[in-house]
Amino acid sequence: QVQLVESGGGLVQPGGSLSLSCATSGFGLDYWTIGWFRQAPGKEREGVSCISKRGEPTYFADSVKGRFTISRDDSQKTIYLHTTNLRFGDSGTYYCARRFRDGPCPDTEGFGSWGPGTQVTVSS
């Protein structure tokens, strides 16, 4: 059974950091691009970052470049989104999903098997 489950969200002050995890099961990471997305209330879900089948970062949204990194632990079958210097605009529900095609991930096209999401709230 294919599953992606996010964790690691929470309440953090501006300038703080969080490491989000996307635990996967039921499929091989070597065959799928994994993307991180976020959605704020009243806004569309947007691509944040994604990592290729080979485990290489292939996309960062302009708003997170230099602040977020993405990595993959094959032994744990988990993809991490490391966030630093968080801003109010980073608040939202963060999701991970998979796509067979490689390439950047500015939107949700082609992605499926969505996890339930993890909430990130940046507040003072």
Side-chain angles (χ1 to χ4, degrees), residues 2 23 82 110:
V2 172
H82 307 282

Side-chain angles (χ1 to χ4, degrees), residues 1-115:
Q1 181 182 1
V2 172
Q3 278 193 315
L4 292 87
V5 180
E6 307 89 344
S7 63
L11 175 64
V12 63
Q13 293 185 339
S17 302
L18 286 172
S19 285
L20 308 183
S21 300
C22 172
T24 71
S25 59
F27 65 99
L29 289 175
D30 290 348
Y31 299 97
W32 298 87
T33 289
I34 304 297
W36 277 101
F37 299 82
R38 66 187 180 190
Q39 188 167 21
K43 293 189 176 181
E44 290 190 356
R45 195 169 297 188
E46 62 174 350
V48 175
S49 182
C50 53
I51 194 163
S52 73
K53 303 174 184 184
R54 295 171 297 283
E56 300 165 348
T58 54
Y59 176 79
F60 290 97
D62 287 343
S63 60
V64 307
K65 283 180 181 175
R67 301 188 297 122
F68 291 12
T69 59
I70 190 170
S71 63
R72 191 176 87 181
D73 184 333
D74 290 341
S75 67
Q76 298 295 321
K77 300 195 70 176
T78 299
I79 294 83
Y80 300 96
L81 184 70
H82 307 282
T83 70
T84 64
N85 193 18
L86 285 163
R87 304 168 180 170
F88 294 121
D90 294 319
S91 294
T93 303
Y94 282 68
Y95 301 90
C96 61
R98 68 174 190 169
R99 184 186 68 193
F100 191 72
R101 176 173 57 85
D102 255 334
C105 55
D107 54 46
T108 61
E109 183 178 356
F111 281 91
S113 303
W114 293 87

